[in-house]
Amino acid sequence: MCGIIGYIGPKSIVPVLVEGLKKLEYRGYDSAGVAVVDGGTVQIRRVLGKIAVLEESLRADPLQGVYGLGHTRWATHGRPSERNAHPHIDCTGELVIVHNGIIENYLGLKKRLREEGHAFRTETDTEVIAHLIEKHFRGDLAAAVRAAIAELEGAFAIAALSSRDPRKIVVAKHGPPAVVGVGEGETIVSSDINPILGHTSKVVFLEDGDMAVIDAGGAAFTDFQGAKVEKKVETIGWNPLMIEKHGFKHFMLKEIFEQPEVIRDTIMGRVSLDEGEVLLDEVGLSAETLASVRKAVIIACGTSYHAGLAGQLFFETWARIPTTVEYASEFRYRDFLLEKDTLVVVVSQSGETADTLAALRACKPRAAAVVAVTNVVSSSIAREAQGVLYTHAGPEIGVAATKTFTAQMTALALLGLYLGQTKGALEKKALLEILEEFQRLPHKVERVLSQAKAIEDLAQRFVHFSHFLYLGRWVSFPAALEGALKLKEISYIHAEAYAGGEMKHGPIALIDEKMPTLAVVPRDRVYEKMLSNIAEIKARAGFIIAVAGAGDAEIGRHVDVVIPVPDAHPLLSPFLSVVPLQLFAYDIAARRGADVDQPRNLAKSVTVE
Ligand code: AGP
């Protein structure tokens, strides 16, 4: 899930590319590179590692140019190395491309191109694209790109330039995202809006099958056959300041502390306490579609899947709709059965996750409707779903999702209440109580955040442990899963989450003094059951940290350490219990000196399978 960027305009090209790549780095950080053209000469600089390494190399030995391309890599084909870093070139070195995606038929193409005399320098799939364009180049770069992409199988967002058709960048999209920023006298293409925000808020989102030909005059849009296509210019409400750290050491910590605001912003304008109503007409589900819904399927990956598990409980309890939750990467390859009375909800922070997008496409012709819960305006999933419920979390830069998990739970709760309200499954009084509880939630999260120092001191005692168990039951199970994922992702410590009742069926064998347990134990319908699971662990000398209700005078007798969180409506407790788990993971990773915002081997948006 690489990041590509290109720019034509009056600004000095190298700083534009480097600053842009910094804003794309969360998409992949195995290697990076830029290519700039100056007076007909293409100059390239590639490095192994992060943008900072590239920046240092360019400071030591600057490049001059008037326009160019840049790339930050998440390696799929060919190990991370300077040689496999993008941009890639053709045999002449005059044609350059950057690519995000996977070319599935690259081996066959490479063999054929080799037989035709092309010399390959790298192990990558991407390099075949440069040689294919070279093969078809007759002076018109756009025509050559069209001919080349006609031979490609797989996913690609590419940008190409050639010193033999100067002052032009040609972009083609099939799968991974590509956005064109149309500024005053300047045009910038990128994998997402973050690098564009510093130049313009006017953007065009390319669809699959779109191309953009960019020159000093701006961008012209065509399809893959060269026919002109009309594109809508959208204005983005996010601003560049939103992607700054504002004094926090890491984006992840800043984003954890943004959660009270994120809940307020995601509820904003969608709840009327006076009427005791949820206002979600924006989702665009007609009355008859809503009436026809008898079942729901929530589909997602990673953290979004965990939010989906909480959504399942919201839908079943408040809307009385049987709901299942599916891993998109599994669901899309199953011979799944989907009846016409099923509402499909796809959840994705980035709105670009390939497996979730594919599951959406597979469900659309068969479901009552497909609704997307996503954080990125006009992302592919938002554009292709039949209804969209945006989470208003603002840009999330830390690769480990935190505030978007909370925003997704907020959106899914609103959707569950809305379905309950419209289907008459939820009494007005009960609905109002929950809405009032929701209004109190941001302040309660602030109270949890005020314990950050105490949680940091606690985490310090566990920096050297190599295994952790997370436990939760019912609505706390998704929070436990999320806590374990955060610790795994950013500290590289092995952590497993289990539903408390499952312990006896195997995982309890893991318990010893080297395997601490984090148990999420609010006073709810499974409290007593959790106490028994805790007793089973204590019986085997396990050390237990409990995230429990502040008013709970009992729990302290059963565990070693208690992290108190304010009591809340039983179904809203994960909004509070997940915060100490996020902080605990953050503190351990930060103390271990891990790269918290850009953990190894990960990327913020998984745009290939
Ligand atoms: C979470 O911290 C990870 N970044 C990852 O599991 C993520 O949730 C998953 O890739 C899904 O991404 P999405 O929400 O953008 O679809």
Side-chain angles (χ1 to χ4, degrees):
M1 294 54 71
C2 310
I4 68 172
I5 188 167
Y7 177 86
I8 292 188
K11 294 177 182 138
S12 169
I13 185 64
V14 172
V16 168
L17 294 177
V18 171
E19 288 312 310
L21 287 175
K22 284 181 187 165
K23 298 211 169 57
L24 287 171
E25 194 167 28
Y26 69 157
R27 305 178 64 88
Y29 25 88
D30 291 327
S31 64
V34 293
V36 296
V37 185
D38 184 23
T41 313
V42 176
Q43 299 170 73
I44 293 184
R45 182 72 49 80
R46 294 184 287 230
V47 298
L48 173 61
K50 301 214 165 183
I51 308 300
V53 180
L54 176 66
E55 196 170 24
E56 189 42 45
S57 157
L58 290 164
R59 195 176 292 120
D61 176 12
L63 293 183
Q64 302 305 325
V66 286
Y67 70 107
L69 300 174
H71 186 274
T72 182
R73 186 177 188 225
W74 191 89
T76 55
H77 294 72
R79 67 198 120 82
S81 67
E82 188 279 329
R83 202 154 65 90
N84 289 333
H86 299 213
H88 288 296
I89 56 176
D90 69 346
C91 297
T92 68
E94 295 165 333
L95 191 144
V96 177
I97 65 140
V98 290
H99 166 227
N100 176 21
I102 289 180
I103 305 303
E104 282 152 11
N105 62 338
Y106 84 103
L107 287 173
L109 291 170
K110 193 169 184 173
K111 182 168 175 297
R112 204 191 71 216
L113 287 160
R114 266 216 174 101
E115 284 155 7
E116 293 168 8
H118 288 264
F120 282 79
R121 299 177 183 81
T122 78
E123 302 156 327
T124 66
D125 55 331
T126 300
E127 193 188 353
V128 292
I129 308 174
H131 292 282
L132 266 181
I133 299 172
E134 174 190 9
K135 170 186 160 81
H136 295 290
F137 189 80
R138 304 282 178 278
D140 175 346
L141 181 60
V145 170
R146 281 197 295 274
I149 57 181
E151 301 193 50
L152 300 178
E153 287 161 26
F156 56 86
I158 59 173
L161 64 76
S162 166
S163 57
R164 293 166 57 198
D165 188 0
R167 295 176 181 277
K168 190 183 287 178
I169 292 174
V170 175
V171 181
K173 175 198 175 336
H174 179 69
V179 192
V180 175
V182 282
E184 298 300 319
E186 61 181 354
T187 309
I188 178 166
V189 57
S190 167
S191 292
D192 66 38
I193 53 178
N194 288 357
I196 294 175
L197 291 177
H199 302 278
T200 176
S201 62
K202 301 248 174 292
V203 300
V204 171
F205 291 91
L206 297 190
E207 304 286 351
D208 287 354
D210 282 351
M211 287 179 65
V213 180
I214 298 168
D215 59 23
F221 302 98
T222 74
D223 61 18
F224 281 7
Q225 284 65 49
K228 193 168 177 313
V229 287
E230 288 307 320
K231 299 300 293 178
K232 199 171 93 202
V233 177
E234 303 189 41
T235 303
I236 298 295
W238 289 355
N239 67 59
L241 282 180
M242 294 166 89
I243 37 186
E244 300 303 330
K245 280 191 196 138
H246 298 306
F248 285 89
K249 191 155 175 268
H250 293 102
F251 280 107
M252 182 179 178
L253 190 60
K254 173 202 162 208
E255 288 152 6
I256 290 173
F257 275 81
E258 284 179 339
Q259 296 184 102
E261 215 43 48
V262 159
I263 297 172
R264 289 190 188 98
D265 291 349
T266 303
I267 294 175
M268 185 94 71
R270 292 165 166 174
V271 164
S272 158
L273 282 181
D274 302 342
E275 310 297 322
E277 274 187 359
V278 178
L279 315 164
L280 277 191
D281 298 349
E282 67 189 273
V283 175
L285 293 176
S286 66
E288 58 272 10
T289 303
L290 280 166
S292 75
V293 169
R294 297 270 174 288
K295 298 183 215 48
V297 178
I298 301 175
I299 305 174
C301 302
T303 287
S304 298
Y305 173 85
H306 297 155
L309 290 172
Q312 176 183 38
L313 300 170
F314 301 151
F315 285 20
E316 288 184 343
T317 308
W318 293 330
R320 307 305 291 144
I321 296 176
T323 302
T324 56
V325 188
E326 306 283 354
Y327 281 122
S329 52
E330 284 299 310
F331 185 78
R332 62 176 296 189
Y333 288 111
R334 281 202 342 240
D335 303 322
F336 61 85
L337 299 149
L338 205 60
E339 273 125 35
K340 211 52 198 150
D341 61 2
T342 306
L343 173 69
V344 171
V345 179
V346 291
V347 185
S348 173
Q349 181 284 127
S350 61
E352 299 294 349
T353 300
D355 286 318
T356 309
L357 183 57
L360 177 163
R361 290 174 178 158
C363 293
K364 226 166 134 180
R366 299 155 67 175
V370 177
V371 168
V373 171
T374 185
N375 194 50
V376 179
V377 175
S378 286
S379 54
S380 303
I381 285 174
R383 292 198 310 272
E384 296 198 25
Q386 285 141 319
V388 187
L389 182 52
Y390 284 115
T391 53
H392 296 307
E396 186 173 64
I397 307 300
V399 167
T402 51
K403 64 177 181 175
T404 54
F405 173 69
T406 294
Q408 286 165 347
M409 286 201 293
T410 306
L412 289 166
L414 289 173
L415 192 52
L417 294 167
Y418 180 66
L419 290 167
Q421 168 185 292
T422 47
K423 297 178 82 59
L426 195 54
E427 277 164 36
K428 207 147 179 84
K429 183 167 167 303
L431 173 56
L432 188 56
E433 267 169 33
I434 299 159
L435 294 179
E436 284 164 352
E437 259 289 321
F438 243 114
Q439 301 299 327
R440 289 189 282 271
L441 214 45
H443 179 59
K444 290 183 178 179
V445 174
E446 277 153 5
R447 283 167 52 198
V448 179
L449 291 167
S450 67
Q451 299 179 68
K453 184 69 184 74
I455 295 168
E456 186 183 351
D457 297 344
L458 174 66
Q460 188 175 336
R461 293 163 52 186
F462 296 90
V463 168
H464 302 300
F465 279 76
S466 312
H467 305 281
F468 280 84
L469 191 70
Y470 287 71
L471 279 193
R473 294 183 78 143
W474 189 49
V475 72
S476 300
F477 180 44
L481 283 165
E482 189 49 19
L485 178 61
K486 291 301 93 138
L487 189 66
K488 278 183 269 206
E489 280 191 280
I490 62 174
S491 72
Y492 320 141
I493 294 175
H494 166 235
E496 290 209 49
Y498 270 90
E502 277 303 300
M503 278 291 288
K504 296 186 282 302
H505 308 290
I508 196 157
L510 296 168
I511 297 298
D512 62 20
E513 61 291 343
K514 294 197 290 307
M515 169 72 104
T517 297
L518 277 104
V520 182
V521 210
R523 290 204 81 120
D524 59 19
R525 64 173 70 172
V526 288
Y527 179 72
E528 299 302 331
K529 304 298 174 202
M530 273 299 283
L531 286 187
S532 329
N533 300 138
I534 284 170
E536 290 151 12
I537 295 171
K538 285 314 288 173
R540 285 136 184 104
F543 186 96
I544 303 174
I545 302 165
V547 176
D552 182 346
E554 169 72 18
I555 189 71
R557 278 193 282 278
H558 301 265
V559 300
D560 301 279
V561 178
V562 177
I563 302 174
V565 296
D567 296 317
H569 180 287
L571 271 177
L572 301 184
S573 66
F575 287 86
L576 302 170
S577 50
V578 78
V579 178
L581 302 182
Q582 294 166 338
L583 287 167
F584 186 80
Y586 170 81
D587 293 324
I588 287 188
R591 284 236 173 229
R592 288 164 72 109
D595 191 337
V596 169
D597 283 338
Q598 295 172 351
R600 70 184 184 199
N601 305 343
L602 291 181
K604 183 69 183 168
S605 162
V606 183
T607 54
V608 290
E609 278 191 66

